[in-house]
Amino acid sequence: MDARTRKHPVEDETADEARMLAETITVKRDRLLASLTLIAGIGLIVMVPFALRGGAEFFMPVTAALVVAIALVPLLEWFERRGIPSKLSAGLCVLIFLMLAFFAIGSIVVPATDWVAQVPAKIPKVRAALEPVIRLYKHLDRWIERATSQIAIGPAQATPTVNVEQPHSMLGLLTSSAPHLLIQLFFALLVIFFFLAGWTAMRKKAIVTRGSFEGALTTARVIQQVVDATSTYLGTITVINIGLGTLTAGALWWLGMPSPVMWGGIVAVANYIPYLGPIVCALLLFLGGLMTYPDIWGALLPPAVFIGFHLVEANFFTPMVVGHRLTVSPLSILISLSFWAWVWGTTGALLAVPLLIILKTVFSAAGTPDIAGFLFEHGTLTHAGEEDEEEVEDRQQMEPAMVDTPKRRP
């Protein structure tokens, strides 16, 4: 019996050592897998922008179509609540979107073609209007030349000649790019139609197929919040931009500016791009003023009127209407604007804020650090090697009893 009892502590110690070794190997394996996953995730994040830019012919129309489709979901649901079938409701939404798009394109592109055709004939008038500025520039250039000639060390180098190629005609540009644009537009319209036609079934399937009630509730909340945020922003901004463009067109008509509807449309479309859009509008209005009015002071009136309207809209009206619903930091808007403009150009700049709102809504609803866990209903952040809360509490309670207390002397 004594020999057996002596073997039990040895066997227990061996089992404990084996268990500790297995736990250590498991912890190291989990941390290695986590490190590899982190490295792969960083590499994927670095590669995605270049993939989006390289595959712009596919990703850009698909992304734009999905953003437009999400914004049209409330209109689709309004039709469906009145008993209209899903496919017919989707067709009506696409038709309404096409009517608005064709009206905007027709009111901008056709007059803009005439303005571009008038540029060569208007160059002398623009030069005459800019004569005071040109004269000031010449005096400043002479003063800089005299100042630099006094401190010049070596001989002056010859000024390099720059050959400027003449731009292609607008008709040739449209002829060469029209087939490609029509194919992308047709593809985007198909994406919008099939997305809206299957929206109700897709949403129901995404909610029902979740393995738990909490997962289904979270999915339903994320979907609804994404739709509400996107449609609210785009719908509100569209109404505000139409109002701003209408006011600008009316003011330009009163000032005698040709094609006021075109300028109002340009203002309405460019105002979708934060910060950069209004600057481009002001420069274009100044150029149009130079082509219309005899002096530079008259040319400053159109951009001044637009800037006044824009300041009121951006600082008072838009924050009052949109501010309490959607709060996005200006830094996030600038980063998103620069990123998507680098990836997809002007189209990316137009999609920057809606995509930022969609991502922000998904992150805030699903949880920022565990998006993959939300998608697969399992956490992706492991706590291997860390003690549970119960183990920590038990250890803290046992520590006072384990401390050796000094013995009292008799």
Side-chain angles (χ1 to χ4, degrees):
M1 296 293 293
D2 295 336
R4 291 180 196 174
T5 54
R6 290 195 199 97
K7 291 181 180 179
H8 286 300
V10 176
E11 293 177 355
D12 293 341
E13 291 178 359
T14 305
D16 292 339
E17 291 178 357
R19 186 172 60 254
M20 292 177 61
L21 180 61
E23 291 179 355
T24 303
I25 294 174
T26 303
V27 170
K28 291 182 178 180
R29 181 194 63 189
D30 292 340
R31 289 183 176 176
L32 177 61
L33 291 176
S35 301
L36 294 176
T37 304
L38 179 61
I39 294 172
I42 294 174
L44 182 64
I45 292 173
V46 173
M47 292 171 57
V48 163
F50 297 97
L52 293 174
R53 190 175 183 182
E57 294 184 359
F58 171 77
F59 291 111
M60 185 174 65
V62 169
T63 306
L66 291 177
V67 171
V68 173
I70 292 173
L72 292 175
V73 165
L75 183 61
L76 172 78
E77 294 176 345
W78 186 84
F79 284 132
E80 289 180 344
R81 285 194 298 268
R82 277 142 185 85
I84 302 176
S86 298
K87 293 184 179 179
L88 183 57
S89 300
L92 291 175
C93 292
V94 173
L95 182 61
I96 292 173
F97 171 73
L98 275 178
M99 292 173 59
L100 293 175
F102 283 149
F103 174 77
I105 293 173
S107 62
I108 295 175
V109 174
V110 176
T113 305
D114 298 334
W115 277 81
V116 172
Q118 295 176 9
V119 168
K122 295 288 185 178
I123 289 179
K125 189 173 184 178
V126 173
R127 181 172 296 179
L130 290 176
E131 186 62 30
V133 180
I134 295 174
R135 192 182 304 114
L136 178 63
Y137 170 76
K138 288 182 179 179
H139 290 307
L140 181 62
D141 185 60
R142 291 173 185 170
W143 180 82
I144 293 175
E145 186 178 358
R146 287 196 302 267
T148 53
S149 62
Q150 295 178 359
I151 58 175
I153 299 176
Q157 298 180 355
T159 304
T161 59
V162 179
N163 296 324
V164 181
E165 296 183 358
Q166 295 296 328
H168 299 286
S169 63
M170 180 66 68
L171 181 60
L173 182 62
L174 292 176
T175 304
S176 61
S177 60
H180 183 68
L181 292 177
L182 288 176
I183 292 174
Q184 285 192 338
L185 177 61
F186 180 72
F187 178 66
L189 290 177
L190 287 179
V191 173
I192 295 174
F193 174 77
F194 287 113
F195 181 90
L196 293 176
W199 166 255
T200 303
M202 286 190 299
R203 181 179 61 180
K204 183 178 179 180
K205 184 177 180 180
I207 296 173
V208 172
T209 54
R210 308 301 282 183
S212 62
F213 176 76
E214 183 180 358
L217 187 63
T218 304
T219 304
R221 184 175 67 249
V222 171
I223 293 174
Q224 192 61 41
Q225 288 182 358
V226 168
V227 171
D228 291 342
T230 307
S231 59
T232 298
Y233 171 78
L234 288 178
T236 306
I237 292 299
T238 299
V239 173
I240 292 174
N241 292 350
I242 291 175
L244 180 62
T246 303
L247 287 176
T248 305
L252 295 179
W253 173 80
W254 183 74
L255 292 173
M257 187 89 164
S259 306
V261 177
M262 179 199 73
W263 293 110
I266 292 175
V267 167
V269 173
N271 204 47
Y272 281 102
I273 304 176
Y275 309 119
L276 297 180
I279 296 174
V280 173
C281 281
L283 294 176
L284 290 176
L285 285 170
F286 178 64
L287 179 60
L290 291 174
M291 296 172 61
T292 303
Y293 299 101
D295 55 6
I296 192 172
W297 304 111
L300 289 173
L301 287 177
V305 169
F306 163 71
I307 291 173
F309 287 150
H310 173 69
L311 290 177
V312 174
E313 172 264 326
N315 293 287
F316 298 99
F317 193 74
T318 299
M320 181 178 61
V321 176
V322 184
H324 66 283
R325 296 182 181 180
L326 298 171
T327 304
V328 183
S329 65
L331 180 60
S332 301
I333 293 176
L334 285 175
I335 293 175
S336 178
L337 181 63
S338 60
F339 173 78
W340 292 109
W342 171 72
V343 173
W344 291 334
T346 305
T347 306
L350 290 172
L351 296 173
V353 178
L355 290 175
L356 176 63
I357 290 174
I358 291 174
L359 294 176
K360 181 178 180 294
T361 305
V362 172
F363 288 163
S364 61
T368 304
D370 205 11
I371 300 300
F374 161 71
L375 294 175
F376 300 103
E377 294 190 289
H378 294 287
T380 57
L381 302 180
T382 60
H383 298 278
E386 297 182 5
E387 295 178 330
D388 296 336
E389 294 182 0
E390 296 180 357
E391 294 180 357
V392 173
E393 292 179 358
D394 294 341
R395 183 171 56 80
Q396 291 177 353
Q397 292 176 0
M398 294 176 61
E399 281 180 355
M402 297 172 63
V403 176
D404 294 334
T405 55
K407 296 181 180 180
R408 296 181 181 178
R409 295 179 181 179

